[in-house]
Structures are given as C-alpha cells and as structure tokens.
Amino acid sequence: MTKTTIGIFGGGQLGRMMAQAALPLNIQCIFFEASLDCPSAALGKIISAKSDDALNKFIESADVFSLEFENTPLTDVDILTQKKNLYPPRQALAIAQNRLLEKALFDELNIPVAAYRAVDSLLSLEQAVNDLDLPIVLKTATGGYDGKGQFVLHEKNQIEQAWAELGPAKSLIAESFVKFSREVSIIAVRGQDGEIRTWDLAENHHHHGILSHSIIPAPNSQALQPVAEDYVTRLLNHLNYVGVLTLELFVTEQGLYANEMAPRVHNSGHWSIEGAICSQFENHIRAVAGLPLGSTETLKPTVMVNIIGQHPNCAEVLALTGAHLHLYNKTERCGRKLGHITLMPNQQEQLSDLCRKLAVILPNPLALTSDMCID
Ligand code: AMP
C-alpha cells in the first residue's frame, strides 16, 4: 500500500489525536500552523503558516487535506481545492463559520432550531427583541467559540449595552433563549462512499462556557438517539460530507433543538479513543483517506473530563483504575484545555465512584462537582 500523507489545517490537540490515530495505519499527518511549538508538533511536520510561500508548500506536501480548526480561512481553502481534495467539503466549512448560514441550513433540512433573527444595527436588534420573547441570546455570527461573543438579554433596557458590546462585529444573530434541560452532542462520520456511522449521544456539561465533562452514553437518551442520528444524517448527506461532523443539541420538553455544528472531530468525542471500537479520530482519518469506516459501538459507559487551566498530579490520576490520561503538551493558562481524562471502569456501577475520586485529585475540581449526574 502506498503511504498516504494527510495535510491538516491547524496543529492543536485535535490534530495531535488525529495523527495518533493515523500512525497505526501508516498514514502520515503534516500540519499548517503558525506556532512551531503546537500540540501536534510531536506527531508530524509543521509547516509554519507564517513562512513565505507556506500555503503552496503545504499543498505540495500532502495527498489529501483536512482540518482541525473550523475557522480555517476560506481563501486558503479555495487555493487548495484548485489542486487537491479537502474533506470536509468547503461548503460545510463556510456554513459552520457563520451562525446565520448554519441556522438557515437547519431550517431548510427541517431540523428544529430556536427562533432567530439576523441583526446588523441597533434598529434591527430592537426589532428582534420585539419579535422574539425575552430572554434572547445575542451572538456574533462569525468567530465566536466557547460562549465568547455572546450576550444574554433579559430586559429591554439592556439593548444598548448589548449593542455596544457586540455591535462592532457587524453581523449578529439574536436567538430565543432555549429552556433546555440538558445539552447533548451527536458525532457522526461519513465515508467517501456515503456510508454513515454515528456514536452514542454525549451529555455535555459546561463551566463558564467551556466543556468540563461529557457522559457517554447520555443517560436516559434511548428515544433521543434516533432523532439526533436522523438530523445529523440529513446534514451529512445534504453537504455530501466526508469525515467527522458534530451536531450540538439542546434537550427540551418539545424535543431536540440544534444549536450548532462543528465540521470536525469534537471535544465531546474524545471518550471514543478508549470507549468505542473505533474512535472519532481514527474514523475521520479513515474517511479522509478513503478507507472503510470502523464500528462506532460503545464498549463501556464512559465519562470524559477536561483538564482545564492547571495540570493534575499525573501519578494520582493514573493510580485510578480505569482512568486514561491524555496530555496535549500545552502550558498552563486559565481556561485553557490542557488534556483530558477518560474514565472507563470495569463495571458500570463504579463510574460515579471513580468520578468522585477524580474530583478530589483535580486541582480545579470545577469539572465533576456541582453538576455531577452520572448515576
Ligand atoms: P454556542 O457558542 O452557540 O455553543 O453557545 C455556548 C453556550 O451558550 C451553549 O452551550 C449553551 O449553554 C448556551 N446557549 C447558546 N445558545 C443558546 C440559546 N439560544 N438558548 C439558551 N442557551 C444558549
């Protein structure tokens, strides 16, 4: 078999874990990234996005391309796709980079979403507040992540403040506030032959807008799983997608509402490295390389806990039976994802015990404490 090289836009932890999954398949990854000292550097060559003629060098250096950074510039993608294939397709990326396009696509495919309005002036914000019941969530249409670029309006008298904060972004979306009980995500992969596989729903818990931990399978979600699978399948087929796609959803009394999609492997799928027969990373690599997909079946109930801001004592984590530690080679910084721990005990009833033990060890036990609901 000839050796395939996959070029990846971005060199963060997602690229690192993609390359880890690629290695046993004898697939090499090469990364287009500004920082030579990025988490992917240990796993493959970095082409400095800052160097002269970098994009052309990158394009020449690989057979097929993918990304781990969803804000990959479309201008770069356009140059690339004149010569080589990129998976996922450009259209999926363009839509995922703009919340207004994303919501319009969900509407077109009859995937329920919160009522929303486009906002580009103080006047249109006032109109949106009149049209949608308060509270509303005002978001920048592009560039936001982990809850950044958002303002929750509870009162009409906050309109000017919200506009002062987010107005400079020029293109905004105002969404009705969804009264959800839980947040879940469905991760799916589509191969070059159109085959689709989905992993079990993850139940996601956030702290200050950052994912703190995910529980898999999402508890009490048997009825939600086929609905989520149907929604993500509509997206994958419509976009003629290849690779892994993630759909984030709100669970409400009226059913599932789509929040956003990520055209890439996702933090709520890290559990699948140990918890599923084939991980999101390996299946993404397989899809991009045009190989058959692997089974997405869950091996055991799993909790994935993010290491945020500060490293734990690694020996203490590893002393927990059933704990798998993944570090991303990043320096400590408040709010930064430094690694994750997958808890996969031998017996299901030990999972909540294991979580409690881990919460004691974590330097920052914001994960896994207040909102722990594993049983
Ligand atoms: P996002 O950047 O769209 O993923 O939003 C970050 C977080 O804000 C989500 O995980 C939700 O907890 C919350 N959020 C976003 N949109 C809404 C909404 N329309 N209604 C209620 N909460 C929301």
Side-chain angles (χ1 to χ4, degrees):
M1 200 167 112
T2 54
K3 188 165 180 170
T4 303
T5 301
I6 300 180
I8 296 176
F9 282 104
Q13 62 266 20
L14 301 180
R16 179 181 171 100
M17 289 183 275
M18 279 185 204
Q20 282 171 335
L23 210 57
L25 306 179
N26 205 21
I27 292 173
Q28 182 70 45
C29 293
I30 186 159
F31 303 92
F32 190 63
E33 162 68 51
S35 159
L36 295 177
D37 190 24
C38 60
S40 301
L43 274 296
K45 185 173 167 192
I46 307 293
I47 296 199
S48 167
K50 287 182 184 157
S51 65
D52 289 346
D53 205 27
L55 185 59
N56 282 328
K57 274 191 213 149
F58 178 58
I59 294 169
E60 291 312 317
S61 66
D63 306 303
V64 60
F65 290 79
S66 189
L67 53 96
E68 60 109 60
F69 174 57
E70 74 207 53
N71 284 318
T72 298
L74 294 175
T75 45
D76 288 358
V77 167
D78 288 337
I79 295 169
L80 165 74
T81 50
Q82 284 172 12
K83 294 187 177 164
K84 304 255 173 93
N85 286 330
L86 173 79
Y87 303 118
R90 182 197 192 279
Q91 190 200 3
L93 190 61
I95 291 171
Q97 287 180 0
N98 186 314
R99 292 182 191 273
L100 286 163
L101 297 179
E102 198 172 68
K103 289 286 190 307
L105 176 63
F106 294 157
D107 270 345
E108 185 188 337
L109 299 178
N110 288 317
I111 299 171
V113 287
Y116 67 94
R117 295 287 183 278
V119 167
D120 60 4
S121 64
L122 185 58
L123 194 67
S124 58
L125 176 56
E126 284 165 350
Q127 187 64 49
V129 170
N130 285 334
D131 289 354
L132 310 168
D133 282 341
L134 286 170
I136 65 168
V137 186
L138 189 66
K139 304 176 181 177
T140 54
T142 59
Y145 67 97
D146 283 348
K148 293 187 173 61
Q150 295 196 11
F151 191 108
V152 182
L153 269 136
H154 296 277
E155 312 277 348
K156 279 195 173 178
N157 63 17
Q158 292 176 293
I159 290 179
E160 296 216 341
Q161 189 196 347
W163 180 251
E165 280 189 26
L166 297 187
K170 300 229 170 23
S171 177
L172 306 176
I173 183 169
E175 298 175 11
S176 283
F177 191 90
V178 179
K179 293 188 186 73
F180 60 83
S181 56
R182 299 186 285 155
E183 293 185 73
V184 295
S185 54
I186 183 98
I187 303 183
V189 60
R190 187 171 182 273
Q192 291 185 20
D193 59 359
E195 184 191 4
I196 290 174
R197 293 187 185 232
T198 51
W199 284 265
D200 276 340
L201 276 169
E203 181 179 293
N204 301 324
H205 296 258
H206 300 86
H207 193 91
H208 296 311
I210 301 173
L211 183 70
S212 72
H213 63 281
S214 298
I215 304 168
I216 302 94
N220 306 317
S221 295
Q222 290 85 345
L224 301 177
Q225 180 77 28
V227 180
E229 286 180 3
D230 176 34
Y231 293 163
V232 78
T233 299
R234 288 183 212 175
L235 286 165
L236 288 166
N237 285 333
H238 177 86
L239 294 165
N240 196 21
Y241 198 94
V242 172
V244 165
L245 176 75
T246 306
L247 180 62
E248 296 181 23
L249 298 149
F250 297 126
V251 181
T252 77
E253 281 179 5
Q254 291 74 41
L256 291 174
Y257 279 68
N259 178 29
E260 62 178 358
M261 65 180 194
R264 55 169 171 78
V265 291
H266 194 259
N267 195 171
S268 65
H270 292 0
W271 67 275
S272 63
I273 296 175
E274 290 92 6
I277 289 182
C278 192
S279 75
Q280 61 164 351
F281 300 103
E282 180 171 342
N283 259 340
H284 184 73
I285 292 291
R286 289 191 192 202
V288 171
L291 296 169
L293 302 179
S295 166
T296 49
E297 198 181 310
T298 301
L299 289 166
K300 281 179 191 169
T302 301
V303 173
M304 188 287 310
V305 183
N306 273 334
I307 299 169
I308 298 169
Q310 213 183 327
H311 289 107
N313 178 322
C314 295
E316 283 182 354
V317 173
L318 294 173
L320 297 175
T321 307
H324 299 268
L325 178 64
H326 295 257
L327 298 175
Y328 308 150
N329 193 27
K330 286 161 90 172
T331 50
E332 295 183 344
R333 194 171 71 204
C334 183
R336 198 175 203 200
K337 291 175 184 169
L338 305 175
H340 73 268
I341 298 160
T342 304
L343 299 176
M344 230 180 85
N346 293 333
Q347 286 169 13
Q348 189 176 342
E349 53 275 19
Q350 293 173 347
L351 194 50
S352 47
D353 277 352
L354 204 48
C355 289
R356 280 186 199 96
K357 285 182 190 155
L358 181 63
V360 175
I361 292 170
L362 288 178
N364 182 0
L366 55 89
L368 275 186
T369 47
S370 54
D371 51 4
M372 192 167 74
C373 55
I374 292 132
D375 292 318

